[in-house]
Amino acid sequence: MMRNIKGVVAVASLCGGLLMGGAAPAAAQVYGGTQLLWGSDTDLGIGGTLLANIENANLEFAGSFNLFFPDGDEDFWEANANMFYHFHLSDTRSVLPYLGGGLNLSHLSNGSDNTEAGLNLGGGVRFPMAGVSPFIEARAVISDHDQAVLAFGLIFGHAHGR
């Protein structure tokens, strides 16, 4: 139990440090959004995301918290801290692909509690519009709670453009 608490505190500290220390000096803009998810081992889920883009660097910090609804008597949640690189296509501003990775902290409760730290690798495509940006994202979680995750969502007020 104490190991799990230390892991949660360590990841939360790292996420906060990345958001505050990594993004603030470069004049970060912060945005929020919501998402619907599907996990290969955890079925459907819902979540929220907080984004901080780093101006003039094509980089973006993305933190998220997701709650999944697996079949049976299991509860599953995850917290993520990722860094994405955005590819600005010269011929269009209506499609914004990105790739990246980061940290994953997941918790499975099925009669006993199991919290694991892992890695995320993935990317997606954002469709910037005035006031809202729909997105599609895919990532692989590499940990004791391995799974593929697909996310569909909306970022409000965000276009990550130059």
Side-chain angles (χ1 to χ4, degrees):
M1 174 81 170
M2 184 57 87
R3 183 175 145 252
N4 293 341
I5 293 171
K6 287 180 183 177
V8 170
V9 170
V11 170
S13 298
L14 181 60
C15 292
L18 285 172
L19 182 59
M20 302 310 286
Q29 295 177 349
V30 179
Y31 302 94
T34 185
Q35 55 194 355
L36 177 64
L37 304 108
W38 173 83
S40 60
D41 288 342
T42 55
D43 298 326
L44 293 178
I46 57 172
T49 187
L50 185 65
L51 307 169
N53 65 3
I54 301 170
E55 290 300 313
N56 302 318
N58 292 343
L59 293 174
E60 176 179 66
F61 170 81
S64 67
F65 182 83
N66 304 309
L67 180 62
F68 289 86
F69 306 102
D71 290 336
D73 291 332
E74 296 180 337
D75 292 318
F76 188 85
W77 59 259
E78 67 173 6
N80 300 288
N82 295 311
M83 188 66 74
F84 292 121
Y85 179 83
H86 289 263
F87 298 92
H88 290 276
L89 305 176
S90 60
D91 59 339
T92 180
R93 290 187 180 254
S94 61
V95 176
L96 184 61
Y98 57 93
L99 289 174
L103 301 176
N104 170 278
L105 182 70
S106 57
H107 178 82
L108 174 66
S109 178
N110 57 358
S112 64
D113 290 337
N114 182 6
T115 303
E116 296 293 333
L119 298 174
N120 288 316
L121 297 173
V125 178
R126 195 164 297 148
F127 305 96
M129 296 185 222
V132 65
S133 294
F135 69 91
I136 300 169
E137 185 175 293
R139 64 182 159 86
V141 179
I142 303 166
S143 75
D144 283 350
H145 298 152
D146 286 345
Q147 71 171 338
V149 177
L150 297 175
F152 307 92
L154 297 172
I155 304 300
F156 300 101
H158 184 264
H160 197 288
R162 285 193 247 183

